[in-house]
Amino acid sequence: MTTRNARGTDDVAVDPADRRSPRSHTGEIASTVAQALDLADAGNDVFIAAPASADDPRGLYGGRLTAQGLRAASLTLPDHRRAHSMHCYFLVPGDATKPITFTVTRERDGGRYSVRQVVASQDGIDILHLAASFQREQSGADYQAEDMPATVSPAQLVAVPQDPRMLDLDVRIPDDADQYHRWPTRLWIRITEPLDPDPTNPDPNLHTCGLVFISDMCTGLSKAPMVKEVGILPSIDHTVWIHRECDPNRWMLMDLSPESTSGGRGMYTGRIYDEDAVLLASLAQESLFRNREKRNGSHTGSRNGHAS
């Protein structure tokens, strides 16, 4: 088939052999990141994710929703193009007990780059809008400005119990001289179960989706002034730039820093390194930064609520 090109040039035919097909699944609740990224192909660039939980009343974890949106986009690409950036807006909290429909629009397939728009919805209501760009592999200058911060290796740390929504993540938290509130800003993370269904044929975009799943954990705003007074920090938007190939089944260090708070919003940035101190990705997120209370005065929601 021929992809639609928004600008009318450089249309690219998609070779079925180049398309990474999703594995068929039974709709069962995922217990691993690999299972969560296993989307059902409904045809016409529409993909379905099974419910995240049978009975969890909380909203969806944003990293999971974003990673699934990027996965849907990646399943419509020509010639093994790889994600290099994505930006999304969280519109309303999703329902973890319902399936999610991801509708992909092929905005452009040029000679080197492809752009996709993805809308995630439940019951006809949009819950996420995502845009992603993919690049045909090519060589170029290799430079990173920031060294990985000095820290102990994950082998010297103990695993920290996680929210069940984090699935099969192994998280280790090194000591941090800078005080934070509730959420650590520097942590070692890896996905324990293999992402690739066929280890002999690894999928770089699937690996990137694993990194994106991780990228929404915690918040750099936990070190911002007044964070103890603002309560929860619902996400407004989230951006990830992928600089180099990654393998989330190996240890990665995520380091987050607050940048600004004003107007009831806060913004932080972050970097993700591999264990060899190579910069894999950079990220930025804006969240609400205001005191939202119930009528009885207690705080509402959780870290992964969405802005409204």
Side-chain angles (χ1 to χ4, degrees):
M1 61 188 278
T2 301
T3 61
R4 181 177 69 80
N5 186 310
R7 300 187 182 181
T9 60
D10 296 333
D11 285 346
V12 177
V14 177
D15 183 344
D18 284 335
R19 175 166 168 161
R20 301 278 186 153
S21 298
R23 292 167 285 166
S24 61
H25 62 69
T26 63
E28 296 179 354
I29 304 302
S31 60
T32 67
V33 175
Q35 292 171 356
L37 295 174
D38 181 14
L39 307 181
D41 190 343
N44 296 316
D45 291 347
V46 176
F47 302 87
I48 309 296
S53 172
D55 53 11
D56 193 337
R58 297 174 295 174
L60 290 161
Y61 165 52
R64 176 184 183 135
L65 182 61
T66 304
Q68 289 174 329
L70 184 62
R71 182 58 177 158
S74 74
L75 292 169
T76 68
L77 294 171
D79 59 34
H80 300 294
R81 298 178 185 213
R82 300 178 181 184
H84 67 88
S85 66
M86 57 126 282
H87 182 85
C88 68
Y89 285 97
F90 300 106
L91 304 180
V92 296
D95 186 336
T97 66
K98 295 181 179 180
I100 308 167
T101 300
F102 295 90
T103 303
V104 181
T105 300
R106 305 186 186 201
E107 295 290 346
R108 175 176 169 80
D109 282 315
R112 293 184 177 88
Y113 290 87
S114 293
V115 177
R116 297 292 185 265
Q117 298 280 349
V118 183
V119 174
S121 62
Q122 292 179 315
D123 298 329
I125 298 173
D126 293 357
I127 62 175
L128 176 87
H129 285 178
L130 180 147
S133 182
F134 301 81
Q135 177 189 21
R136 194 173 67 187
E137 185 177 9
Q138 64 184 57
S139 60
D142 196 326
Y143 164 78
Q144 71 179 60
E146 297 291 333
D147 293 333
M148 187 176 79
T151 184
V152 299
S153 73
Q156 297 175 263
L157 302 168
V158 297
V160 178
Q162 294 299 303
D163 184 307
R165 293 182 296 175
M166 299 301 103
L167 302 177
D168 59 319
L169 295 192
D170 185 352
V171 179
R172 316 282 175 97
I173 302 174
D175 290 337
D176 191 340
D178 296 328
Q179 186 176 6
Y180 60 83
H181 177 63
R182 294 184 64 183
W183 304 286
T185 62
R186 185 172 296 165
L187 52 166
W188 287 105
I189 316 170
R190 66 176 174 179
I191 298 170
T192 60
E193 294 300 314
L195 285 174
D196 289 299
D198 180 3
T200 66
N201 185 28
D203 183 347
N205 281 323
L206 187 57
H207 292 185
T208 296
C209 291
L211 180 147
V212 168
F213 183 100
I214 288 167
S215 70
D216 191 39
M217 287 186 67
C218 302
T219 171
L221 293 172
S222 62
K223 288 183 177 178
M226 305 296 292
V227 66
K228 294 182 180 180
E229 282 71 40
V230 299
I232 63 168
L233 303 170
S235 305
I236 297 173
D237 64 346
H238 188 67
T239 300
V240 182
W241 296 269
I242 301 94
H243 307 306
R244 297 170 180 85
E245 284 192 40
C246 65
D247 182 357
N249 287 132
R250 303 183 66 179
W251 286 112
M252 301 185 297
L253 181 76
M254 184 162 66
D255 188 54
L256 308 174
S257 301
E259 297 291 340
S260 174
T261 60
S262 66
R265 293 169 289 106
M267 183 263 190
Y268 71 90
T269 58
R271 297 182 177 91
I272 300 177
Y273 302 85
D274 67 14
E275 206 169 2
D276 294 323
V278 175
L279 181 64
L280 302 175
S282 302
L283 64 96
Q285 183 173 119
E286 189 172 47
S287 306
L288 293 185
F289 200 82
R290 60 181 182 175
N291 195 342
R292 302 182 69 190
E293 298 182 341
K294 293 180 180 179
R295 292 178 182 177
N296 65 6
S298 62
H299 294 306
T300 64
S302 66
R303 160 70 184 94
N304 294 116
H306 297 163
S308 61

